[in-house]
Amino acid sequence: MELFRIEGGTPLGGEIRASGAKNATLPVMAAALLLDETLTIDNVPHLEDVTTTNVLFAHMGVTVTMLDNMALAVDASTITRPEAPYELVKTMRASILVLGPLLARHGYADVSLPGGCAIGTRPVDIHLAGLEAMGAEIKVEQGTIKARAHRLVGARFAMESVTVTGTENLMMAATLADGVTVLENAACEPEVADLARCLTAMGAEIEGAGTSTIRIRGQSRLTGARHRVQPDRIETGTFLTAAVATRGDITVAHTDPRLLEATTEKLAATGARVDAGNDWLRVDATGMRPQAINVRTAPYPRFATDMQAQFCVIAAIADGVSTITEAVFENRFMHAAELERMGALIRPEGNTLVITGQPQLTGAPVMATDLRASISLVIAGIAASGTTDVRRIYHIDRGYECIEEKLAQLGANIQRLPDSTPIGSAVTS
Ligand code: UD1
């Protein structure tokens, strides 16, 4: 195990480059399972979740080749076992994304249920109901989803609530179904649109991806293609939040400002100066105490739940009382107790945190609980005075590429050290 030791009190400043989006890479890798040719993926971030997917693919007999310049070639023509066992699925909930493609191409798939999770129950009932609407027979036996369908059949399916990976799973399955599928109340997240661009390059016929109604005309087969994963909007937003929390000035290059409007609007509401170009964003909060903010999470294009924990750090040091409401997941405030250890004044009221900003946080030993909660503790540690040790940083490595290198490049005093503290149960996000 490892920990991050942070000597805080340094405003971050300078420029870093956005990585490819984790949440776009994982579904695009899953899309390769629809093919018996090669899908080449560019701008793949070097992350634990990508490594986990590679291990899962190796288990299934899929060949993954690392190419130069952050590219991967995935060849699923060699697949021998369309199944995802619990040992691999439990560390990464997004493994459920293989279900739709495997079923659509092979007629069967055995995928372990992801199980409990630190940020709420996160069921997959909508994924399963959608596949059933397309004619699949689904049983859950001993914790494994067993899905069977000679050939999926296009259907009209209205999703009970907005689910990102659910939309992606069903959209992928529908590309090889017989006839037209219409997904209603679909997720509008940019990662869904990115996946649709990849599927279209593979020969799929898709209309409306990125809106709440997606129409897919199934094909008898798809063909090999090359796709470049879009920049990571959550990583970009995380660094920009760090500019405000540390009263610094950060530019993120090679990103897409259009994907971050809800975040930049709230960053501007803190009083920070936000500038954007075609592919860069800059937040300048030099020497400035942020104003209190009110944030409520919701599906895209509104404020992302994956940015909520980072904004709690801004609220913790802001001038005034902020409210942070989590309306996507039922239990996503584990960072609150850790921030309190650093001097934050937080009062929970149902699914809202009422946070009274303090002039200064102080360093403390804290424990990461899920991916976004963990990075919020790192940002808090950089903003705080004194030393902060963040434990269980394996969560951060799942979703942030070269995080300590990027933070050090911006002036943070952060070290990765061995940690002999025993850890409890694994959690995912
Ligand atoms: C994805 C993102 C994650 C982000 C989340 C919400 C990936 C790999 N992960 O997760 O980073 O935090 O979207 O933006 O893209 N739900 C059901 N039944 C289902 C599916 C979901 O009730 O079948 C509920 C969940 O419990 C949750 C809500 O819907 O309350 C949203 O979850 P969902 O959009 O599915 O999250 P993920 O796709 O897992």
Side-chain angles (χ1 to χ4, degrees), residues 11-68:
L12 297 184
E15 180 175 312
I16 49 116
R17 190 191 164 106
S19 297
K22 166 178 97 68
N23 286 355
T25 302
L26 303 177
V28 163
M29 288 181 78
L33 301 174
L34 292 160
L35 297 175
D36 51 18
E37 297 179 20
T38 300
L39 177 67
T40 305
I41 313 170
D42 292 301
N43 204 28
V44 173
H46 184 60
L47 299 173
E48 263 316 297
D49 275 8
V50 172
T51 306
T52 302
T53 308
N54 286 340
V55 174
L56 174 60
F57 280 15
H59 170 90
M60 295 194 287
V62 175
T63 312
V64 181
T65 313
M66 307 282 201
L67 307 173
D68 290 343

Side-chain angles (χ1 to χ4, degrees), residues 23 93 122-127 163-165 306 328-329 332:
N23 286 355
R93 189 186 138 83
R122 301 182 85 177
V124 292
D125 54 321
I126 300 169
H127 301 233
T163 157
V164 178
T165 49
D306 285 350
V328 174
F329 289 109
R332 205 177 192 178

Side-chain angles (χ1 to χ4, degrees), residues 309-313 335 339 371-381:
Q310 300 88 314
F311 269 72
C312 286
V313 183
H335 44 285
L339 290 173
L371 172 57
R372 307 304 170 184
S374 325
I375 199 70
S376 76
L377 298 176
V378 169
I379 296 171

Side-chain angles (χ1 to χ4, degrees), residues 296-357:
R296 182 183 181 87
T297 68
Y300 192 83
R302 289 186 282 156
F303 189 87
T305 173
D306 285 350
M307 288 303 306
Q308 178 260 106
Q310 300 88 314
F311 269 72
C312 286
V313 183
I314 295 182
I317 57 147
D319 187 7
V321 179
S322 299
T323 59
I324 310 273
T325 302
E326 175 55 58
V328 174
F329 289 109
E330 65 200 37
N331 177 23
R332 205 177 192 178
F333 282 149
M334 274 89 54
H335 44 285
E338 302 300 305
L339 290 173
E340 281 178 318
R341 294 170 52 73
M342 301 178 72
L345 196 56
I346 303 180
R347 181 164 49 84
E349 274 184 14
N351 65 345
T352 297
L353 296 180
V354 181
I355 305 181
T356 306

